[in-house]
C-alpha cells in the first residue's frame, strides 16, 4: 500500500515552477539514460548521484564543472548524473528508476551514497529518501523546490510542522502531493529532529526559492546544516554550492 501511494504521489509532482532548459516533454525510457564516471584505475568506494533540475539535461553537470569538482574532491567516487527529466516524475518512475538502476545496485556493492540535488533534483532527493529509508548516507540540496508559498503559509499559521496536519492520503493534484511530502517529512523526520542522514542545504541570497528554503530549514534542519551564499537560482551559484558541500562533508 505504501509503495502504491508513493507512486501516485510522485505522479502528482508534475509542472513544478522551476526554471528549465528543455521545453518539450520527453517520455521516460528504461533503462534510465545516464552519464557515469568511474574512478580511474581504482574501485569505487562511494556513489555521488547528481540530480538535475526540471527538464535540465545531465550534461549540464559536465558543462558547468560539477563533475570535475566531484572528481577532484572525491577521487574514489562513482559519479552518476541521470537524465531524470519531468517525464519520469509524471509517470511515477523517478524513485523506482533511481532505486532499481542506480542506488540499489550501488548499495549491494557496499558503496556509500551521496545525493546532490539541484532545484527540482533536490525535491527528487527528498522524495527518494522518504520512499526508500536507509539508502542515503548523505544529501546536499542546492536551492531545492519544497512547496508553494500557500502551503508553507498554512503550515506556519498552524504553529509549525509539529502542529500542522493534512488529510491527504492519495494525492490527486500537485498541491495535494506537496502536502503529502510535508506529512511524510513530519512522520519520518520530525521526531528524530531532522533527516536520519548527513544533510546540508546551500541557497543563494538572491534565489527565488530563498524564502521557502529558509522555511524548510527552520522546520527540519539544524542551523549549521544551512549555508546562504551570494547568488541566485543559477549554475554560478550552484557550482560554488557544490564546492561548499564537498568541503563541508569532509569535515
Amino acid at each position: 500500500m505504501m509503495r502504491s501511494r508513493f507512486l501516485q504521489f510522485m505522479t502528482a509532482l508534475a509542472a513544478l515552477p522551476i526554471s528549465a532548459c528543455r521545453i518539450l516533454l520527453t517520455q521516460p525510457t528504461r533503462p534510465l539514460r545516464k552519464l557515469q564516471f568511474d574512478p580511474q584505475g581504482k574501485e569505487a568506494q562511494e556513489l555521488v548521484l547528481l540530480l538535475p533540475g526540471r527538464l535540465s539535461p545531465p550534461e549540464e553537470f559536465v558543462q558547468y564543472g560539477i563533475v570535475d569538482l566531484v572528481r577532484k574532491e572525491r577521487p574514489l567516487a562513482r559519479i552518476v548524473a541521470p537524465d531524470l527529466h519531468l517525464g519520469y516524475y509524471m509517470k511515477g518512475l523517478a524513485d523506482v528508476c533511481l532505486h532499481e538502476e542506480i542506488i540499489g545496485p550501488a548499495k549491494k556493492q557496499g558503496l556509500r551514497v551521496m545525493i546532490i540535488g539541484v532545484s527540482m533534483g533536490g525535491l527528487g532527493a527528498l522524495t527518494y529518501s522518504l520512499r526508500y529509508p536507509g539508502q542515503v548516507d548523505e544529501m546536499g540540496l542546492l536551492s531545492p523546490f519544497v512547496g508553494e508559498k500557500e502551503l508553507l503559509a498554512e503550515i506556519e499559521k498552524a504553529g509549525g510542522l509539529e502542529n500542522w496536519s493534512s488529510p491527504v492520503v492519495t494525492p490527486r493534484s500537485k498541491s495535494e502531493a506537496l502536502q503529502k511530502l510535508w506529512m511524510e517529512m513530519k512522520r519520518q523526520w520530525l521526531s528524530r529532529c531532522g533527516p536520519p542522514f548527513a544533510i546540508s542545504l546551500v541557497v543563494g541570497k538572491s534565489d527565488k526559492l530563498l524564502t521557502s528554503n529558509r522555511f524548510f530549514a527552520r522546520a527540519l534542519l539544524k542551523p549549521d546544516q544551512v549555508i546562504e551564499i551570494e547568488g541566485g537560482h543559477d549554475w554560478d551559484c550552484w557550482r560554488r554550492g557544490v564546492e561548499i558541500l564537498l568541503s563541508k562533508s569532509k569535515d
Side-chain angles (χ1 to χ4, degrees):
M1 181 63 71
M2 177 63 70
R3 184 177 180 87
S4 175
R5 288 175 181 172
F6 255 98
L7 281 171
Q8 293 168 321
F9 167 50
M10 291 305 300
T11 301
L13 285 175
L16 299 174
I18 303 175
S19 59
C21 292
R22 287 180 290 183
I23 298 176
L24 297 178
L25 180 65
T26 304
Q27 291 300 312
T29 59
R30 300 291 301 268
L32 175 64
R33 186 179 78 85
K34 62 184 183 293
L35 305 181
Q36 180 166 320
F37 307 87
D38 289 305
Q40 296 181 347
K42 298 180 180 178
E43 290 189 6
Q45 295 183 4
E46 65 177 327
L47 168 69
V48 176
L49 180 62
L50 306 174
L51 298 186
R54 183 189 178 201
L55 301 178
S56 185
E59 284 78 9
E60 289 190 355
F61 287 112
V62 178
Q63 178 183 349
Y64 291 101
I66 307 302
V67 169
D68 286 341
L69 276 175
V70 178
R71 294 175 105 171
K72 178 181 177 181
E73 297 296 330
R74 302 287 185 91
L76 297 180
R78 173 186 301 154
I79 306 166
V80 178
D83 191 13
L84 201 69
H85 54 70
L86 190 58
Y88 288 92
Y89 291 92
M90 292 185 68
K91 296 292 186 179
L93 292 173
D95 290 339
V96 174
C97 288
L98 289 179
H99 189 69
E100 293 182 354
E101 299 182 24
I102 302 175
I103 298 178
K107 295 298 284 188
K108 288 181 179 179
Q109 295 173 18
L111 303 188
R112 181 178 182 274
V113 173
M114 178 184 188
I115 302 181
I116 296 177
V118 176
S119 196
M120 189 184 73
L123 175 66
L126 292 170
T127 56
Y128 175 84
S129 66
L130 291 164
R131 183 173 180 182
Y132 295 101
Q135 299 300 298
V136 178
D137 299 290
E138 185 178 2
M139 184 180 295
L141 301 174
L142 298 169
S143 55
F145 177 76
V146 293
E148 305 286 4
K149 62 181 181 180
E150 292 81 7
L151 171 60
L152 305 185
E154 177 185 319
I155 297 172
E156 188 168 34
K157 185 177 180 180
L161 187 57
E162 63 274 14
N163 298 317
W164 174 81
S165 183
S166 169
V168 174
V169 175
T170 303
R172 301 187 183 278
S173 67
K174 183 183 71 173
S175 62
E176 289 187 356
L178 291 166
Q179 290 179 49
K180 180 66 174 178
L181 168 71
W182 278 87
M183 282 300 296
E184 284 298 315
M185 291 193 293
K186 174 180 178 178
R187 183 179 69 83
Q188 295 189 36
W189 296 349
L190 196 59
S191 63
R192 307 173 63 110
C193 299
F197 46 78
I199 184 170
S200 295
L201 185 154
V202 180
V203 61
K205 294 179 182 179
S206 301
D207 196 302
K208 63 183 180 180
L209 299 182
L210 177 62
T211 300
S212 62
N213 278 205
R214 284 176 171 172
F215 184 90
F216 171 81
R218 289 197 306 271
L220 291 160
L221 302 184
K222 300 178 178 63
D224 64 350
Q225 294 175 320
V226 184
I227 304 102
E228 294 184 11
I229 62 177
E230 297 300 325
H233 200 76
D234 54 56
W235 279 106
D236 286 342
C237 185
W238 294 333
R239 189 181 189 282
R240 295 196 305 273
V242 171
E243 291 179 317
I244 292 170
L245 290 173
L246 295 174
S247 176
K248 191 173 186 290
S249 68
K250 294 194 301 183
D251 295 340

